[in-house]
Amino acid sequence: MDMFTGIEMAAKVGLIVFVMLQVVPMMVWIERRGSALMQNRRGPNRVGPLGLFQSLADVVKFIFKEDMVPEHCDKFYYILAPAVVLLPAFMTFAVVPFGGDITIAGHVVHLQVADLNVGFLYILSIGSLGVYGIIMAGWSSNNKYSLLGSLRSSAQMISYELSMGLSLVGIVMIYSSFELREIVFRQTYPLMASAPGILAHIPKWGFFVQPVGFIIFLSSVYAETNRLPFDLPEGESEIVAGYHLEFGSMRFALFFMAEYLNMVTASALLTTLYFGGYSFPGLHIAAEAFTPLVARASEIASSLMPFVPTLANPDQWARAILEVAVFSAKVGFFMWLFVWVRWTLPRFRYDQLMDLGWKVFLPLSIANIAVTGVLIYLGVI
Amino acid sequence: MELATGATDIFFYIFSGVGFLFALFGVVLGKNPISCAFSLVLMFFCISADFALLQAHFLAAVQILVYAGAIMVLFVFVIMLLNADTKNLDLGRSKVFQAGAAFLCLGLFAMFVWSIRHGTGSPKDVGLTPEKVLSSGGNLRVISELMFSDYILPFELTSILLLVGIVGSVALAKRKMEHK
């Protein structure tokens, strides 16, 4: 590993972790204001303009609260649990591409932390580890409600992992790759190349070729992130607060953060697999128009700060900036969808949840694979 | 990203050693069933890391996905549900059994060492070098193509075996339900 690769990796990891940490308080604010909007309330509006600094105040409160471990808890696992929940939440984003390639100083840089051959299998396997933290939390708390919450959570996650994994098989069959960058690239192909006029420019996004798979995957992701309508592990009206009942101060905040980080990753995955990732039809035309602006900005920057060199390839930078913007906008939409659904749908009952997972989604996802196979054989997709 | 050969070797031995320690002190000699289960998960991680170092990325991912992510969750689930603790397990009652198990394990280990050192059969050379695998589309593509062409019979037989297992478990669960 040479010097450049090391700096590149460190920069990308640092960027992802920084952005993800910034998204959490923003998202908490959006969720609280969004819920208020839907329920005809005001929501937080005292701290800062539009209550924007409310999350900051909350963080300060979490940090300064007394950090205590209840007497009846298993201390080792109690302290370990929030970290075990948080770690996979951070790790899963590593394989998601958030932009195309840029050439910097003669090196091609992928805007993706790790380009793994196993692709989203990595996401599925790391994502399936989050349940351990929840189990640890519930078990170490030595509390009936906590244990019930973590039992519910593990049962739910195992049930929906199956249909989630199977719903992705259709995507693999169509794009014949596990690598997310390759899948994004293949989604830029036209859906119907021979169609007249503007119709020929519709991209071959996963949503258009796998609508059933998309619905199954979307619902399973909601169950995996323990969000409404599948938030039975928390179920505050039944089991108080579920697995994080005995946790206070920053430890509780870590569970909270993990939930939002999982939402970010889930939204990024939905974007990448079903909505063309960072690509968008006509993006290259916009990038051409944007290039002079980037070149000019780069010149101004280097004239103000002599140690900054001017960009050798402003066209690539313009494209990459637009790609990251498109990616962020799509992810933002799915994050909003999480909030939207949460404040629209009521919670499932437990037997309904299990019935839906095993008797509806599992057969449906297997049928989806069969139908996809037949359609590919017939040459329709 | 390729590490230097020396670094790969060092990491391989580190992960193997740590995995062995978790297996011995965490799983075999552990007292608390939950701790044993979590140690087993960590040992799976070490094995997965070894696979990844040997360029078997698919095996590494599946090792975590299947063993750590699904099977061990069920183990932990059952342990928590039955609330098993050391008293119920009553490990002390069968010293003879333990000694027998240890003897058999050591025997198996000795046999492996012997067969690796003195075995005459060489591994079948199918011409799969890391470079060739990479040039023909990566680990995953090569495995899936081999599985559905040269090794289709063993693959299908394994899936039939799994199907029999599923049917069997459903039948067992159903019989209990009908008795009620």
Side-chain angles (χ1 to χ4, degrees), chain A residues 231-293:
Chain A
D231 76 330
L232 290 109
E234 285 175 37
E236 49 282 274
S237 54
E238 302 152 22
I239 49 172
V240 196
Y243 56 90
H244 54 56
L245 164 60
E246 297 280 354
F247 289 81
S249 72
M250 207 56 206
R251 292 192 214 286
F252 166 74
L254 291 182
F255 284 109
F256 205 65
M257 271 166 69
E259 184 181 322
Y260 280 88
L261 292 177
N262 281 327
M263 272 165 62
V264 177
T265 312
S267 307
L269 209 53
L270 281 163
T271 304
T272 309
L273 293 172
Y274 290 98
F275 281 86
Y278 54 79
S279 70
F280 202 81
L283 190 115
H284 57 281
I285 303 168
E288 265 171 39
F290 190 46
T291 303
L293 202 66

Side-chain angles (χ1 to χ4, degrees), chain B residues 32-163:
Chain B
N32 184 340
I34 287 267
S35 297
C36 290
F38 286 141
S39 302
L40 195 55
V41 174
L42 288 173
M43 199 208 60
F44 285 141
F45 257 99
C46 294
I47 293 179
S48 165
D50 279 348
F51 280 142
L53 286 172
L54 293 170
Q55 302 289 315
H57 299 126
F58 177 67
L59 268 186
V62 167
Q63 172 84 19
I64 302 240
L65 185 64
V66 174
Y67 282 99
I71 292 180
M72 281 316 291
V73 175
L74 280 181
F75 269 53
V76 174
F77 194 71
V78 168
I79 292 173
M80 286 201 309
L81 210 59
L82 301 178
N83 206 9
D85 51 33
T86 346
K87 276 176 294 181
N88 299 347
L89 285 176
D90 197 15
L91 291 166
R93 95 192 125 107
S94 50
K95 280 272 187 285
V96 184
F97 180 75
Q98 279 181 355
F103 179 73
L104 283 178
C105 287
L106 284 177
L108 196 65
F109 182 67
M111 205 175 80
F112 280 149
V113 170
W114 186 85
S115 59
I116 288 168
R117 295 207 147 238
H118 300 281
T120 48
S122 61
K124 194 173 140 200
D125 186 19
V126 286
L128 284 177
T129 55
E131 294 77 36
K132 265 192 174 174
V133 168
L134 207 64
S135 64
S136 55
N139 206 300
L140 215 75
R141 190 173 289 269
V142 171
I143 286 182
S144 47
E145 271 165 12
L146 278 178
M147 207 179 255
F148 286 104
S149 56
D150 291 2
Y151 297 94
I152 185 77
L153 186 69
F155 177 70
E156 289 298 331
L157 284 178
T158 315
S159 50
I160 287 173
L161 194 67
L162 282 174
L163 189 66

Side-chain angles (χ1 to χ4, degrees), chain A residues 162-170 210 212-213 216-217 220 357 360-372:
Chain A
L162 286 173
S163 34
M164 185 166 89
L166 286 174
S167 67
L168 290 179
V169 174
Q210 283 283 305
V212 179
I216 296 170
F217 186 73
S220 307
V360 180
F361 281 161
L362 191 60
L364 205 61
S365 54
I366 294 172
N368 183 43
I369 294 174
V371 171
T372 309

Side-chain angles (χ1 to χ4, degrees), chain A residues 113-127:
Chain A
V113 175
D115 188 12
L116 296 181
N117 184 233
V118 286
F120 60 72
L121 274 186
Y122 167 85
I123 294 186
L124 291 182
S125 44
I126 300 293

Side-chain angles (χ1 to χ4, degrees), chain A residues 63-82:
Chain A
I63 291 174
F64 283 100
K65 266 190 166 181
E66 187 189 353
D67 175 37
M68 52 174 283
V69 181
E71 192 70 17
H72 54 81
C73 291
D74 184 319
K75 210 168 175 175
F76 179 70
Y77 288 113
Y78 180 86
I79 292 173
L80 198 61

